[in-house]
Amino acid sequence: MNYDYKQLHFNEELGREPWVVKGYKHGGYPPNSVCVGMTKIDFLESYETENDAIDAHPELHLNNETSY
C-alpha cells in the first residue's frame, strides 16, 4: 500500500525491538467499511535501533528531521 506518510514510534514494552514504524493512509478503508473516511494505520515493522528503522525506511528522515 502507498502511505501518505510514515512515523517512527518508540515502545519500550516491546523489549528487543522497541522502534516501530507505522504507515498512515487518509481514507484508507474501503467504502463498505464502518471505518470509511478514517485514517488507516498499519504496523509495518519493528527494529532494534532508531538507525535501523531509518535505514529501512529512509522517508522517515527528511530535511534533517525524523518523523515521530
Side-chain angles (χ1 to χ4, degrees), residues 58-67:
E59 63 275 15
L60 288 171
H61 192 76
L62 296 172
N63 301 322
N64 293 324
E65 291 192 21
T66 302
S67 178

Side-chain angles (χ1 to χ4, degrees), residues 12-33:
E12 63 188 27
E13 295 174 2
L14 294 177
R16 286 186 30 165
E17 295 183 337
W19 293 97
V20 175
V21 178
K22 294 181 181 178
Y24 296 79
K25 178 73 174 171
H26 299 294
Y29 291 95
N32 61 343
S33 172

Side-chain angles (χ1 to χ4, degrees), residues 1-6 23-28 39-40:
M1 172 181 286
N2 291 328
Y3 295 100
D4 295 323
Y5 62 97
K6 294 180 182 178
Y24 296 79
K25 178 73 174 171
H26 299 294
T39 299
K40 183 174 177 141

